[in-house]
Amino acid sequence: MDGNAPDFAAASRAALADPQLRGNFRRAMDGLMTKRAAQFAEPAEWHGVRALAASVRLRALSKLPELLEKLEENCTRNGITVHWAATTEEANSIALDILHKANAKLVVKGKSMVTEEMHLNAVLEKDGIEVLESDLGEYIVQLDGTMPSHIIMPAIHLNTKQIAHLFKRKIKDAESREDAAYLTDLARRVLRAKFQAADVGMSGVNAAVAETGTLCLIENEGNGRMCTTVPPVHIAFMGLEKVVEKLEDVPPVISLLPRSATGQPITTYVNMISGPRKSGEKDGPREVHLVILDNGRSSIYADPELRDTLRCIRCGACMNHCPVYTKVGGHAYEAPYPGPIGKILVPQIEGLAKRGAMPHACTMCNACVEICPVKIPIVEIMGRLRVEAVKPGGAVKDGGAKASRAEAMVWSGWAAMNASPTAYRIATVAMSRLGNAAPSSLPMLKEWTNVRTKPRFAGRTLHDLARAKGIPDV
């Protein structure tokens, strides 16, 4: 394993040994799955809107370079300054440059997975800039000093009692009350004062409309609207795949996203941002900046099969239905994007040397594929990444990083054995005699024997049984 690679296996074992964490996730996931199912009770409606949303994303990806140029042109016409960042380091540098020019000391942020990918908070704090997450879940994990455990509900791993104790420790004059309404109001009072004092507001982007230069942002708490209208400068961050062609492409996406994510028919707020404050308007920022991040997405886009990764609308439904994620939670992945979508996106962004374990944290049950609102073939991509991990010179960063000569020899032997009836007969007879005497250090048996003894082979091979029934060898 790479010395800098997160140890997913160790983190998962720790999560599985935490009954409180598992109980929190089980209750939360059961509730989310039930609510989502109620939103799509009519199969015909689900299949119809799903096909429409998938076609919107596929059409946008098929024209991606052209649409990004058109988006920049129309955003610029609207007064939005567009910045292009090839890497997270470049994106952080752009953000710092804007903040320095604004002489910013305090930043308030709405939810943005791209800034999690950039580790932007740590960069700003190192530069002496105070940054405050304004989404309630993000605010909770920021106080706790941890990463979000879910892309939609960052603090879903904590229950009300744990949050109450956290607030008591971290917020001045907080009472120790396990009351969700009180805790929400307490956070709101802290955040309201920060909104008024902030020099810059930051947000993500759910969809960017190429034909109009409009940034679409959906949310439930009103913090997104406050971040994008109250401070004098607004910086929006998006991955380059978030562009859609037309304004009419937005409704299918925002119809499916909240229903798939939290079981809501629609979010409380739908914000359409088309530029800074104009003459005569009473509110809004004086400057709007859009930072478009690549960070490996161009390489993903270049491969026709892996390109489907970029369809994602970040609803989190795949996580809510994943038997692995629901058992170990999001922190076990130690990544900005956990769960099924993270298992295919993060290894492509960060490389298989560091993230080669993630595609293997999957049962291939297909639950994520069946539930994905834009029909991403997650399991097929997962299989492709497993191959890329042991195949040098492939399309993915650090391809072949997990290649093992011993394992390759075992598979070659397995293939030779199954290609010849005679070799198969000799091998299976030999294995039936050896039984559990076979060495557990073999690569193909290592993980199996970590949790159980090796299976004993039957005394009679398939060929023996076939001959007993009069079936000739092939």
Side-chain angles (χ1 to χ4, degrees):
M1 177 178 287
D2 186 311
N4 296 318
D7 192 340
F8 178 78
S12 296
R13 285 193 290 272
L16 291 171
D18 185 340
Q20 181 68 72
L21 178 70
R22 294 188 67 184
N24 291 352
F25 266 96
R26 185 70 275 160
R27 284 188 293 274
M29 297 299 107
D30 286 348
L32 289 168
M33 287 190 288
T34 300
K35 291 177 181 177
R36 182 217 160 269
Q39 287 295 323
F40 298 110
E42 177 51 56
E45 192 264 346
W46 156 246
H47 291 301
V49 71
R50 186 188 191 210
L52 179 58
S55 70
V56 165
R57 295 301 300 131
L58 283 168
R59 175 161 40 85
L61 290 175
S62 72
K63 304 177 179 181
L64 188 59
E66 169 194 334
L67 293 183
L68 287 170
E69 290 181 4
K70 191 172 183 180
L71 175 67
E72 179 182 30
E73 178 186 338
N74 287 322
C75 282
T76 303
R77 182 180 295 117
N78 292 342
I80 299 173
T81 304
V82 178
H83 308 264
W84 299 90
T87 64
T88 56
E89 292 79 11
E90 190 174 340
N92 286 325
S93 177
I94 291 168
L96 283 172
D97 184 57
I98 297 169
L99 293 173
H100 291 160
K101 287 179 180 177
N103 195 29
K105 302 300 181 185
L106 172 62
V107 172
V108 288
K109 285 179 71 240
K111 185 188 292 294
S112 165
M113 292 311 303
V114 165
T115 60
E116 293 290 343
E117 189 179 327
M118 295 161 53
H119 302 288
L120 179 61
N121 288 9
V123 172
L124 299 188
E125 288 166 359
K126 186 177 179 180
D127 197 67
I129 298 171
E130 181 184 358
V131 55
L132 188 72
E133 295 285 355
S134 64
D135 173 86
L136 179 58
E138 293 279 0
Y139 176 63
I140 291 168
V141 296
Q142 185 181 30
L143 286 180
D144 200 32
T146 57
M147 297 174 67
S149 59
H150 192 287
I151 63 174
I152 297 296
M153 294 148 287
I156 200 168
H157 58 288
L158 300 174
N159 60 27
T160 304
K161 181 177 181 179
Q162 291 170 311
I163 295 169
H165 289 173
L166 174 66
F167 278 21
K168 176 65 177 174
R169 294 196 315 270
K170 298 288 186 175
I171 300 178
K172 185 180 179 181
D173 300 327
E175 299 175 20
S176 184
R177 289 171 56 181
E178 297 173 24
D179 181 304
Y182 167 76
L183 296 171
T184 302
D185 185 62
L186 177 62
R188 182 183 293 115
R189 291 201 301 270
V190 173
L191 293 170
R192 284 278 171 170
K194 296 292 186 179
F195 284 130
Q196 296 294 334
D199 303 297
V200 173
M202 294 181 175
S203 74
V205 178
N206 291 105
V209 185
E211 76 167 355
T212 60
T214 302
L215 310 180
C216 178
L217 173 64
I218 64 174
E219 38 118 4
N220 281 317
E221 300 170 18
N223 64 298
R225 186 161 293 182
M226 297 287 280
C227 286
T228 60
T229 58
V230 177
V233 178
H234 169 215
I235 310 174
F237 297 85
M238 63 174 267
L240 57 77
E241 77 278 17
K242 285 300 185 75
V243 67
V244 296
E245 184 175 8
K246 305 173 183 178
L247 199 58
E248 65 191 48
D249 292 333
V250 174
V253 174
I254 64 173
S255 168
L256 273 175
L257 200 159
R259 289 196 283 172
S260 297
T262 56
Q264 298 171 259
I266 193 170
T267 53
T268 309
Y269 297 89
V270 176
N271 305 292
M272 297 290 193
I273 300 163
S274 294
R277 182 193 306 189
K278 295 179 176 59
S279 177
E281 293 182 339
K282 296 183 178 181
D283 59 16
R286 295 192 305 270
E287 300 176 23
V288 178
H289 298 263
L290 174 62
V291 179
I292 302 177
L293 177 65
D294 186 329
N295 196 31
R297 288 164 173 82
S298 292
S299 297
I300 298 172
Y301 180 77
D303 187 285
E305 182 179 17
L306 300 177
R307 181 183 300 177
D308 285 331
T309 306
L310 302 178
R311 290 193 215 174
C312 181
I313 60 172
R314 305 291 190 269
C315 69
C318 60
M319 300 176 193
N320 304 343
H321 293 76
C322 175
V324 177
Y325 174 87
T326 56
K327 295 294 188 297
V328 303
H331 287 158
Y333 298 85
E334 299 180 69
Y337 306 99
I341 189 60
K343 294 172 200 174
I344 63 172
L345 178 60
V346 175
Q348 296 184 71
I349 290 175
E350 298 187 11
L352 290 163
K354 182 178 180 180
R355 296 294 187 173
M358 290 184 73
H360 292 272
C362 176
T363 65
M364 299 294 200
C365 68
N366 228 46
C368 54
V369 177
E370 294 177 4
I371 218 71
C372 176
V374 288
K375 298 185 177 182
I376 301 173
I378 295 174
V379 169
E380 290 181 21
I381 297 173
M382 205 93 67
R384 167 72 182 279
L385 292 177
R386 291 182 180 186
V387 172
E388 292 278 347
V390 297
K391 179 183 176 183
V396 180
K397 182 180 179 182
D398 302 329
K402 303 300 178 181
S404 162
R405 181 173 296 181
E407 186 171 341
M409 291 174 64
V410 170
W411 277 116
S412 295
W414 181 89
M417 180 187 78
N418 283 275
S420 165
T422 302
Y424 183 87
R425 188 181 307 116
I426 293 170
T428 51
V429 169
M431 286 188 286
S432 71
R433 300 292 185 267
L434 288 171
N436 276 350
S440 62
S441 59
L442 287 175
M444 298 308 299
L445 296 175
K446 183 178 179 182
E447 289 306 315
W448 179 280
T449 53
N450 279 343
V451 293
R452 67 190 84 184
T453 57
K454 296 184 293 296
R456 292 186 178 276
F457 295 97
R460 302 175 73 193
T461 69
L462 290 174
H463 286 284
D464 293 333
L465 295 172
R467 281 196 298 273
K469 292 182 178 291
I471 302 173
D473 287 345
V474 177

